[in-house]
Amino acid sequence: MKQERISTSQLSVVIAITIMGAEVQSIPRVLASGAENSAWISLLIGWGIGAVGMALFIRLASRFPTKTLAEYFALVFGRWLGKLLSLSFSAYLIGLCILNTRVFAQTIAIPLLPETPISAILAVLVVLLVYESHAGLRSIAQLGQMFIVPIALAAVLIVLGVVPLIDLGRLEPLFEPGLGPVLSTALVASTYVGESIVILMLYPYLTRKSGALRASFIGMAIALALLLPVVVAVTGVFGHERAVDLLFPTLSLARLISFGGFIEHAEVLFVILWLFSAFLKISVFFYAGSLALAQSLDIDDYRPLVNILATIVVFGAVLPDNIAVVLEFRGLLDRYSWVYQYGIPLLTFAAAVALHRGDQSEQAQ
Amino acid sequence: MPRFIKPKGILEGTTSKPTQGQDKGKTPISQDLSENIERIRQVCGPDNTDIIVREFKIPVGRGFRAALFFVEGLADRQTLNLSIIQPMQLFSAEYCPECENRDDVDSRGVVDYVVNYLLATSQFKRIDSFDEMVDLVMTGESAILIDGVAEAIVTEVKSWANRGIQEPQSEVTIRGPKEGFSEVVRYNTALLRRRIRTPALRMDPMKIGTLSETDVFVVYIEGLTNKRLVEEAKRRISEIVIDYLPEAGYIEQFIEDNPWSPFPQVLTTERPDRLAAALAEGQIGILVDGTPIALIMPSFITDIYESTEDYYERFLFGSARRVLRIGAVFVSLLLPAIYIALVTFHHEMIPTSLALAFASTRQRVPFPALVEAFLMEISLELIREAGVRLPSPVGQTVGIVGALLLGDAAVQANLVSPIMVIVVALTALASFATPYHSGGMAIRLLRFPLMLAAAVIGLYGVAAGVTAIAIHLTQLTSLGVPYLSPFLSEPVDYKDVVVRAPLWMMRFRPRYLRPLRLRRQVPPPNKGKQSQAGGDSE
């Protein structure tokens, strides 16, 4: 089968969307709960941590330029441990996919379709997901290129719409909660960047690998440029005390927008625009997860697995009774997933260096 | 009393052979003229009145019996009379410098003599295969057979009935040439050759159809168009085995990449200037005899809303109109769906005063919005379809009567709400604004599933539908080139996608077509310092 390739600029878009997803709706709350009014500082520091992590990902990936993480686990750690690790990686990606799917369905359900059962929303989503996965990586990347425009537009419009309501005084004093909470929240923020660990599954399919680091940083910068104004706006409008109580603060922000008393309840429009970004994020994880599973089971093509995995995703997403459970789980993930995100690549990298695996000899093959 | 003839039974006993067409032997032309004439009568049927064999004598040497073989209506009578029969019968008695004695011409030299001194036509061919001769005569040429010679002289005298070069009917523009392609492929190649005079313009001939033997030309510019495109197009066309090729649409449907896609993967045009412009950018054209339409491949999504006029008008207006048309595509695709979603699911998005107006007009309508919309959309498509079939003055009347009366009466009868009439009318207007008919049809068709999705799960359904269309588009290719190339190729060709940049900025051909020569303009030597004519002092 001819392997599809993606270009570096497509990688940037994929990274940006993987970081953002629908998180643009909940990030202000998550950050405000830890860093209070200094949420935006945490976001910036988080991105700094994320950049180091990203450099690590690329460094590791360039040691094995023709293989995905799921493939070189076995090279580094030996067959059985390697298989176990790549299965866990696949499970991690699919787990993220399930979580995002549930959040996605919830973001649709609350403002758009309050009376529709969540399974109906999931059914539509999963059909699209299967279709998209069969279409392959290039299609996902191209979809990202197409949808990044409305997604960016949504973020910009929302901030512009509430500019008159922003009170920058709410951001002062800086570092109000103290350095400790700000830094620990920054670690939480970095897990959003850390989710772009998915790049380790995409790296071998890049057309020009030398530009990978630059492209990933550009992707991070795009995501930051769209998230930072939203975080500032939420804190500036609601203040951190209220932002913590809002389920989707950005959505509440959108609700405030009104143009001359004619356009009201524009949040539906924004939900639609975020929907594209959330869907793309899910399909990136889904693609990478099914690829990782296929490779750890030594199957040539991931496509036969797609239908089974899609079923798992749907059932996983229906499982939680209500959004509170989902948020609890998400909070857990926010706090601890950096261990996996940075720990596993670091471990692999250290082992590869110590055991002299990969590097130039691998490139020559 | 006439008895009813049972249709059954007439064809009983005859069987169809599974093989296509008939075997073409290599029968040579006989020396004996009578035998040749006999065989022509046999092959072409003895009673075919349009197949003429005119016998005469060439008064040279011992005198040769000869016959002129042609199809009436396909060959030009004037040329036959004045340039072929007349010289042979009358002027053969004139002076011949090479022959000492004209009477010495024997059956070996007679063909040379005829060709060199008598035949007053610009083209001729000497052929010794009987079947090839018949094939050529069937395309409108004429063959001269001479007794004692196992050869035929085939001359080009094609001149068949045609409607001449007329204005394009389906691609009307205000600016730009008014010539359109016609059914005669030779005229079309001439129209094209007149625009692109470089000898590098290639028209590679192919023949498709075992019965029709239709001429098909693959047109491209040597040294500019990517070779692989040309080869791929020729490969696909050459694999078509069919008996009769009535229209270029057959070729389109046989060679398109994804037959299940609603989007046209081949651009059709009636305008030679559009084909010429496409060739100059590195696309290939396909001309088919009998079809006043040229096919252009590869085609892209931008073809749905691009018009040649965008380039003829100054760039500001060209761009503005293009942006308008892109908007029209979206309106025509999404407006009814969004309206249905809004009134069914998302009332709160509509401003309160407007929502009240909507509600009061919809109050008397007994149907859900979807039924209402389908009712109107389908009647609109009906009006459109009826308008196409009727002669043009009547067609317009039907359109006006249908739109005005039906819409008004439907509102009066509380079948639909006035707002729905506005929505449908806007949609129709928008869909008329798409310049490319097949592309517009794709949009029209996709509108209905989107409306359905909107009625089931609101805007989420519309968004899902749009995503599905987008996924489909990312996979679609035309002649192996991605359909979305203008948007997604790298570096992005932003100068000619959404807006149309000034012509002097478009120095390169589209990169995604991988032309062999990229540059199409040479910048002026004093760039940036163009002196302005006329005093620019204040």
Side-chain angles (χ1 to χ4, degrees), chain A residues 4-6 10 14 128 131-147 279-280 283-284 287 302-303, chain B residues 467-476 484 488:
Chain A
E4 299 169 307
R5 299 197 165 267
I6 60 171
Q10 284 174 330
V14 168
L128 281 180
Y131 185 27
E132 174 70 318
S133 310
H134 278 286
L137 179 59
R138 215 177 69 112
S139 175
I140 296 175
Q142 291 192 340
L143 218 58
Q145 280 179 301
M146 265 192 275
F147 287 161
F279 170 70
L280 272 170
S283 50
V284 170
Y287 171 82
Y302 67 92
R303 285 181 175 82
Chain B
T467 309
I469 294 173
I471 297 173
H472 170 68
L473 282 174
T474 59
Q475 289 175 281
L476 199 58
L484 289 174
L488 302 181

Side-chain angles (χ1 to χ4, degrees), chain A residues 29 53 68 70 108 116 138 144 171 178 221 250-251 282 292 307 310:
Chain A
R29 170 174 44 79
T68 65
I108 302 291
T116 310
R138 215 177 69 112
L171 297 179
T250 315
L251 194 64
I282 294 168
N307 296 349

Side-chain angles (χ1 to χ4, degrees), chain A residues 7 9-10 104 112-113 121 124-125 128 131-132 135 138-139 142-143 145-146 262 264-265 268 272 275-276 279, chain B residues 345-346 348-352 354 457-460 463-464 466-468 470-475 482 484 488 490:
Chain A
S7 67
S9 63
Q10 284 174 330
F104 170 90
L112 274 185
L113 300 163
I121 296 172
V124 173
L125 174 75
L128 281 180
Y131 185 27
E132 174 70 318
R138 215 177 69 112
S139 175
Q142 291 192 340
L143 218 58
Q145 280 179 301
M146 265 192 275
F262 184 75
E264 285 161 29
H265 295 287
V268 175
I272 294 294
L275 194 147
F276 292 128
F279 170 70
Chain B
F345 286 93
H346 317 292
E348 75 281 355
M349 265 191 85
I350 312 168
T352 320
L354 204 60
I457 38 174
L459 282 178
Y460 174 51
V466 170
T467 309
I471 297 173
H472 170 68
L473 282 174
T474 59
Q475 289 175 281
L484 289 174
L488 302 181
E490 291 178 22

Side-chain angles (χ1 to χ4, degrees), chain B residues 185-376:
Chain B
V185 77
R186 263 296 157 228
Y187 289 1
N188 298 348
T189 58
L191 283 172
L192 191 62
R193 182 74 74 177
R194 234 182 64 206
R195 285 181 166 75
I196 300 180
R197 294 191 179 156
T198 168
L201 174 65
R202 296 291 146 84
M203 304 181 183
D204 293 354
M206 306 179 94
K207 274 209 195 294
I208 305 295
T210 45
L211 290 179
S212 62
E213 309 222 340
T214 312
D215 287 313
V216 174
F217 291 90
V218 176
V219 193
Y220 59 97
I221 296 176
E222 178 80 30
L224 192 159
T225 317
N226 198 314
K227 282 268 186 298
R228 290 169 109 175
L229 289 180
V230 180
E231 279 160 21
E232 177 65 10
K234 280 190 187 168
R235 183 188 68 78
R236 290 191 190 180
I237 295 173
S238 66
E239 282 179 10
I240 301 174
V241 179
I242 192 175
D243 54 347
Y244 171 54
L245 186 76
E247 218 258 355
Y250 271 54
I251 297 225
E252 173 182 355
Q253 290 171 61
F254 273 113
I255 68 175
E256 63 192 349
D257 295 50
N258 182 354
W260 305 106
S261 170
F263 291 92
Q265 295 134 60
V266 176
L267 173 63
T268 59
T269 183
E270 276 188 282
R271 305 179 61 90
D273 53 325
R274 186 162 197 180
L275 176 61
L279 292 182
E281 288 201 334
Q283 281 162 300
I284 62 157
I286 299 166
L287 292 169
V288 180
D289 192 28
T291 308
I293 274 176
L295 306 179
I296 298 172
M297 289 187 92
S299 168
F300 302 102
I301 184 142
T302 45
D303 290 330
I304 290 179
Y305 59 77
E306 277 183 8
S307 156
T308 46
E309 238 179 331
D310 296 350
Y311 302 94
Y312 301 153
E313 285 285 356
R314 295 176 59 234
F315 86 97
L316 264 181
F317 310 114
S319 301
R321 289 176 60 186
R322 184 179 284 183
V323 170
L324 182 71
R325 262 184 260 124
I326 295 172
V329 168
F330 280 105
V331 166
S332 140
L333 181 67
L334 294 175
L335 187 66
I338 289 178
Y339 175 75
I340 292 174
L342 286 188
V343 299
T344 318
F345 286 93
H346 317 292
H347 314 276
E348 75 281 355
M349 265 191 85
I350 312 168
T352 320
S353 50
L354 204 60
L356 287 176
F358 278 22
S360 67
T361 56
R362 280 200 32 80
Q363 203 177 23
R364 273 166 285 150
V365 180
F367 307 118
L370 177 73
V371 175
E372 206 186 337
F374 261 87
L375 212 67
M376 278 314 282

Side-chain angles (χ1 to χ4, degrees), chain A residues 287-361:
Chain A
Y287 171 82
S290 25
L291 191 66
L293 184 62
Q295 285 172 347
S296 45
L297 298 177
D298 292 323
I299 302 171
D300 283 343
D301 193 5
Y302 67 92
R303 285 181 175 82
L305 297 174
V306 162
N307 296 349
I308 308 163
L309 282 176
T311 321
I312 294 176
V313 167
V314 170
F315 279 108
V318 181
L319 217 55
D321 289 334
N322 52 43
I323 189 78
V325 182
V326 179
L327 289 179
E328 204 170 310
F329 185 66
R330 172 89 235 184
L332 221 62
L333 209 64
D334 285 340
R335 250 167 285 142
Y336 301 113
S337 63
W338 59 271
V339 178
Y340 191 87
Q341 286 167 354
Y342 304 126
I344 289 286
L346 197 63
L347 203 65
T348 317
F349 186 64
V353 171
L355 301 170
H356 304 288
R357 298 284 155 81
D359 217 0
Q360 296 308 314
S361 59

Side-chain angles (χ1 to χ4, degrees), chain A residues 229-265:
Chain A
V230 171
V231 170
V232 170
V234 167
T235 323
V237 172
F238 296 117
H240 60 90
E241 297 91 347
R242 272 183 66 202
V244 175
D245 297 333
L246 295 167
L247 186 54
F248 297 124
T250 315
L251 194 64
S252 312
L253 205 62
R255 212 163 273 164
L256 296 177
I257 298 174
S258 84
F259 291 110
F262 184 75
I263 295 178
E264 285 161 29
H265 295 287

